[in-house]
Amino acid sequence: MSHDSAASDAVAPAAPTFVRLSVEERAALLDAIEIIYGIAPDAFDDRSFWQHSTAETIWMTSLEAFALPEGLEVQAMGMVLLRVPGQPANVSNAFVRRYGQLATRSVLDVDGDGESAFLDRQSVPHAEGPDAKGYRIVRGPSGPLGRGLVQGDRIVSQVPKSLRVRPS
Amino acid sequence: MLDRMQPPRHPARRPANVSTVEHLERYRPIVDDWPAFSDACQRPLPRVVWANPLRGDIEAIGRRILTRCPDAVPLNWYPGGWRLPPKVKPGNWPEYRMGFVHGQEEAALWPVGVLDPQPGERVLDLCAAPGNKTAQMAIRMQDRGVIVANEKRWDRLASTRHNLERLGVSNTTVVCHDGLHLPDELGPFDRVLADVPCSCEGTGRKPRGQKRGADDKWRWTIVSTQIGLLRRALQLTRPGGIVVYATCTYAPEENERVLDSVWPEFAAIEPITPPAGVTVAPGIPEWDGRVFREDVRHACRFWPHHNNTGGFFVARLRRL
């Protein structure tokens, strides 16, 4: 076997798993979050944003984060921000709990009973009218609880099962 | 009637959550107070939770902890840490699910304090699962800088990611790789935590801790891995950087012997100053006929009877 054919058989180096968002992509993402949730972009001045090259999820980590060398299996790059590409309203529950206190739009504040129900993955009522739709940041007396989805006159809790709090 | 008077065919099995010290007899020569040690090992371990400042004010979280458990006692050496009675299960609290608090053994809080990572630094956690110390580091770094949290076993990554996500940590890059073979290009790091796999003999007080001693063949296998991991940690650290080597076992083969495998020209073992009210024992200078390097005395041993914790070993090395 010649060296040429061996070279042609060689496997191409794998694409990097996570790619840092460009300045324009970052600005577009933060603009969308500001429009939907009213969180000012300067809240993320010390954060960097990365996209998974195949799953296309958006991740948020520190500004100092660096691209790891090839050959390493990177499982997570900080905190997942968007699991569904192209849907900036569908922010992760981890993001909601960390930054939900800063939100001024698309927010539903609930009382203690509503908080217990929401953390138990039950739906809670809202008073936004029949035209309401989309995702909401649900906040209770303890702080941001998680993401909710408007379905009719109720908001369905999207707290993950692993973080469910059953009433004692 | 006669049958009832017969001794039971099978002796009563010891409950799984009760520890004995028979398998720890080999450490009798290096324990300062064997009866106290033996007594401590057979008592259940108090649980410890710490408040997460990324989620809110630790004093407000402390009040919530007291509401859940009025018997909670604050740890005087760890701000935001609370000691709970052994039977309390904080994992069921809403505060735990929401990331306000996290449970960790008291002795296991030590290595990160000794490592002392600073905001903006580049830090490696060589054996990260289940992410308790990684989260502690991220909080000390105010969620700035970079932590590369490496774990070889992919089945332990889910718990690592879950814990970090629940606690709201975002400066951590989670990697699944063999710690012995991390590439040079990943470094250099300012600080590295090598909390290596071990025989876990110091966890006997935990409900599901290690209640048996390790057999010698397995132990020497794990010692070679520990030596490799410590050397790799030092190789990935910049000159002047810090490596903390930690295990949860008493075995000198897995502790001082591993430190002894590092050339004194390559790294120095630095003294550790414990906070007021905490008692530690120095590293032992020789074991089983082998004399170790002089500065292993600077390492710290945590015996259960000194501070009512589990057993632990921590050493702080500075790369030269």
Side-chain angles (χ1 to χ4, degrees), chain B residues 227 230-231 252 255-264 269 285 290-296 317:
Chain B
I227 291 173
L230 178 58
R231 288 181 176 166
N255 296 326
E256 288 87 350
R257 167 72 182 83
V258 173
L259 297 178
D260 191 49
S261 69
V262 176
W263 284 9
I269 305 171
R290 181 175 175 133
V291 179
F292 304 127
R293 52 186 281 185
E294 277 289 312
D295 53 1
V296 295
L317 297 93

Side-chain angles (χ1 to χ4, degrees), chain A residues 116-139:
Chain A
S116 301
F118 190 82
L119 290 175
D120 194 22
R121 289 171 53 83
Q122 296 172 15
S123 58
V124 292
H126 69 87
E128 295 184 20
D131 296 333
K133 61 179 181 178
Y135 295 97
R136 298 288 183 273
I137 288 176
V138 180
R139 294 192 299 217

Side-chain angles (χ1 to χ4, degrees), chain A:
Chain A
M1 186 183 285
S2 70
H3 289 293
D4 290 339
S5 63
S8 62
D9 291 343
V11 178
T17 322
F18 286 88
V19 181
R20 191 189 280 256
L21 293 193
S22 66
V23 176
E24 296 79 20
E25 289 169 329
R26 175 192 168 101
L29 174 68
L30 295 185
D31 282 349
I33 288 176
E34 186 179 21
I35 291 167
I36 299 167
Y37 292 113
I39 304 175
D42 57 11
F44 306 101
D45 281 351
D46 61 348
R47 303 285 99 184
S48 64
F49 298 89
W50 299 69
Q51 184 172 29
H52 194 281
S53 54
T54 51
E56 297 185 5
T57 46
I58 305 291
W59 295 69
M60 181 181 70
T61 184
S62 61
L63 202 59
E64 297 91 346
F66 57 95
L68 267 54
E70 285 179 15
L72 284 177
E73 191 180 335
V74 182
Q75 296 280 328
M77 199 86 185
M79 173 191 288
V80 67
L81 172 58
L82 300 178
R83 287 196 193 280
V84 184
Q87 287 193 28
N90 190 357
V91 290
S92 70
N93 279 283
F95 174 83
V96 169
R97 290 185 173 187
R98 179 77 190 272
Y99 288 96
Q101 205 64 53
L102 304 175
T104 54
R105 285 195 281 274
S106 304
V107 174
L108 176 72
D109 288 305
V110 296
D111 57 8
D113 291 340
E115 175 177 306
S116 301
F118 190 82
L119 290 175
D120 194 22
R121 289 171 53 83
Q122 296 172 15
S123 58
V124 292
H126 69 87
E128 295 184 20
D131 296 333
K133 61 179 181 178
Y135 295 97
R136 298 288 183 273
I137 288 176
V138 180
R139 294 192 299 217
S142 300
L145 306 176
R147 188 188 63 225
L149 176 63
V150 176
Q151 284 188 354
D153 60 348
R154 299 185 77 80
I155 292 185
V156 177
S157 169
Q158 297 198 326
V159 171
K161 285 181 186 172
S162 59
L163 298 180
R164 180 180 196 173
V165 179
R166 292 191 181 274
S168 53

Side-chain angles (χ1 to χ4, degrees), chain A residues 47 59 61-62 64-66 68 72-76 78-79 83 94 97-98 142 145 162-165, chain B residues 55 64 94 97-98 100 122 143 145-146 157 161-162 165-166 168 170-177 186:
Chain A
R47 303 285 99 184
W59 295 69
T61 184
S62 61
E64 297 91 346
F66 57 95
L68 267 54
L72 284 177
E73 191 180 335
V74 182
Q75 296 280 328
M79 173 191 288
R83 287 196 193 280
R97 290 185 173 187
R98 179 77 190 272
S142 300
L145 306 176
S162 59
L163 298 180
R164 180 180 196 173
V165 179
Chain B
R55 281 275 188 261
R64 295 184 68 154
R97 299 288 172 98
M98 292 180 67
F100 288 113
R122 191 183 275 208
D143 208 26
V146 184
L157 283 172
R161 288 182 55 184
H162 175 78
E165 199 167 290
R166 181 175 55 78
S170 72
N171 68 341
T172 306
T173 304
V174 181
V175 178
C176 183
H177 205 80
L186 188 61

Side-chain angles (χ1 to χ4, degrees), chain B residues 43-178:
Chain B
R43 278 185 277 128
L45 188 67
R47 291 180 186 266
V48 168
V49 293
W50 46 262
N52 177 11
L54 294 179
R55 281 275 188 261
D57 176 37
I58 59 172
E59 290 183 6
I61 298 172
R63 286 193 290 276
R64 295 184 68 154
I65 291 171
L66 276 176
T67 309
R68 293 281 166 203
C69 178
D71 297 332
V73 179
L75 292 180
N76 54 6
W77 67 274
Y78 192 88
W82 294 78
R83 186 182 282 185
L84 314 177
K87 287 190 176 175
V88 176
K89 293 186 175 176
N92 295 334
W93 294 356
E95 287 78 11
Y96 183 91
R97 299 288 172 98
M98 292 180 67
F100 288 113
V101 298
H102 188 64
Q104 199 172 353
E105 201 220 313
E106 185 174 339
L109 299 173
W110 269 91
V112 174
V114 174
L115 186 69
D116 194 21
Q118 300 298 314
E121 285 188 333
R122 191 183 275 208
V123 181
L124 171 66
D125 190 353
L126 202 54
C127 311
N132 298 340
K133 298 183 188 74
T134 317
Q136 251 188 295
M137 286 196 279
I139 287 163
R140 276 184 98 96
M141 295 166 70
Q142 298 165 16
D143 208 26
R144 288 157 49 199
V146 184
I147 301 172
V148 176
N150 179 64
E151 175 54 45
K152 179 183 176 183
R153 284 179 53 180
W154 66 269
D155 57 326
R156 301 193 72 197
L157 283 172
S159 60
T160 309
R161 288 182 55 184
H162 175 78
N163 279 330
L164 296 175
E165 199 167 290
R166 181 175 55 78
L167 294 166
V169 167
S170 72
N171 68 341
T172 306
T173 304
V174 181
V175 178
C176 183
H177 205 80
D178 186 352

